[in-house]
Amino acid sequence: MTLRACVTGQPVTYSRSPLLHGYWLKAYGIDGAYEREEVPPETAADFYRSLAVRGYAGCNVTLPNKEIAFSVLDEADESAAALGAANTLWLEGGKLHGASTDGYGFIANLDASAPGWDGARNCALVVGAGGASRAVVHALVGRGFDRVVLANRTLERAETVASLFGPRVRPLAFDRIVEVMGEADILVNCTSLGMKGSDPLTLDLGRLRPEAVVSDIVYVPLMTPLLKAASAAGFRTVDGLGMLLHQGVPGFRRWFGVTPEVTPELRAVLVEDLRAKGQLEA
Ligand code: ATR
């Protein structure tokens, strides 16, 4: 029997998940399929409840359905429960399970691409307070950082996110970022700044400690202006593509029964797709 999974959301046209999971299905010789399902929020709850009837082993959930998906789960893992959102669903024992794997992907990518990135787990500086930021902050707290400083243009949004995670997460006004840069083991951009067509995130990177790692969750373009500047200044940098690749691992394992590897060959396939679409550079 062909095992089937899909990416759901609106829009799903631009999702790279079919490329990712399609690569692994072929690489491991699995009789499976990974499809796209355009699912508007109005019908999303019904769709997720009827995964089994539709012949799916599970699915990914992208915008704007992650909270809706969470709300229909029978079992939420710790990450989904903490974030109130799910991006990976699977059926197990007749129940609908869900996880949020972005934080896992973020950490696994850093572990693989920049060993020792977490330094003394002293201080992480996260810029941006949207949905992606929540997953990153949750993951950094889980990794054991003493302090996660969350800087955002709209301070209230940073305060709201920080309040979800306890005293180790401290909100900070955007214009005060310079005050903590010298303490950070890692700087993470979780804003949309630097995305193709947006203004860049410009920070005085000279204030960072030389061993600090600079990371961006944006991957279109792959080399964001922030990463370019950090790399030119001699910092270790980690781009957002690796997070995308790693966040797919738990879902693939649940649906298809194999824990897939994130290899240089896989990354090259995704990089080639970005290149073909003119998305490597800003
Ligand atoms: P997502 O859920 O994908 O993280 P989002 O909720 O739209 O996306 O969040 C985008 C983030 O980029 C926010 O932190 C936003 O800051 P505000 O909360 O102040 O809106 C940040 N952002 C977007 N444009 C920005 C800009 N020009 N300057 C500073 N921050 C910006």
Side-chain angles (χ1 to χ4, degrees), residues 14-198:
Y14 310 109
S15 171
R16 288 187 159 86
S17 292
L19 187 57
L20 169 64
H21 292 289
Y23 175 90
W24 279 330
L25 284 171
K26 200 164 164 217
Y28 294 101
I30 293 169
D31 179 13
Y34 187 95
E35 301 159 20
R36 288 175 208 271
E37 289 270 14
E38 191 83 12
V39 179
E42 298 77 32
T43 58
D46 284 344
F47 185 94
Y48 299 127
R49 285 197 193 100
S50 62
L51 276 180
V53 176
R54 292 169 190 272
Y56 285 118
C59 67
N60 279 127
V61 182
T62 185
L63 297 178
N65 294 345
K66 293 183 183 186
E67 286 81 12
I68 300 171
F70 172 74
S71 74
V72 300
L73 295 178
D74 297 313
E75 302 281 348
D77 85 342
E78 193 271 331
S79 59
L83 302 170
N87 74 342
T88 303
L89 310 188
W90 69 97
L91 290 159
E92 195 180 317
K95 289 189 167 176
L96 185 60
H97 289 246
S100 171
T101 66
D102 289 334
Y104 161 81
F106 173 72
I107 297 280
N109 181 36
L110 283 163
D111 285 344
S113 315
W117 65 273
D118 43 356
R121 298 182 187 174
N122 208 5
C123 175
L125 174 56
V126 177
V127 187
S133 160
R134 285 175 194 223
V136 165
V137 168
H138 177 245
L140 288 166
V141 170
R143 180 40 82 96
F145 274 81
D146 287 340
R147 211 156 33 112
V148 178
V149 179
L150 180 55
N152 197 47
R153 175 179 62 179
T154 313
L155 180 59
E156 299 77 52
R157 267 189 109 191
E159 288 169 344
T160 304
V161 175
S163 70
L164 302 172
F165 299 108
R168 282 198 278 159
V169 183
R170 318 232 178 116
L172 184 77
F174 209 75
D175 55 5
R176 293 183 60 195
I177 290 178
V178 286
E179 293 173 25
V180 287
M181 280 182 78
E183 295 159 48
D185 298 307
I186 178 165
L187 164 69
V188 191
N189 175 36
C190 292
T191 71
S192 48
L193 291 171
M195 251 179 217
K196 215 170 168 63
S198 306

Side-chain angles (χ1 to χ4, degrees), residues 230-252:
S231 181
F235 294 101
R236 283 201 291 172
T237 60
V238 176
D239 63 51
L241 182 59
M243 175 176 168
L244 170 78
L245 304 180
H246 283 276
Q247 65 75 35
V249 170
F252 191 91

Side-chain angles (χ1 to χ4, degrees), residues 205 208 214-215 224-237:
L205 298 175
L208 287 172
V214 179
S215 167
T224 62
L226 174 70
L227 293 181
K228 265 193 177 164
S231 181
F235 294 101
R236 283 201 291 172
T237 60

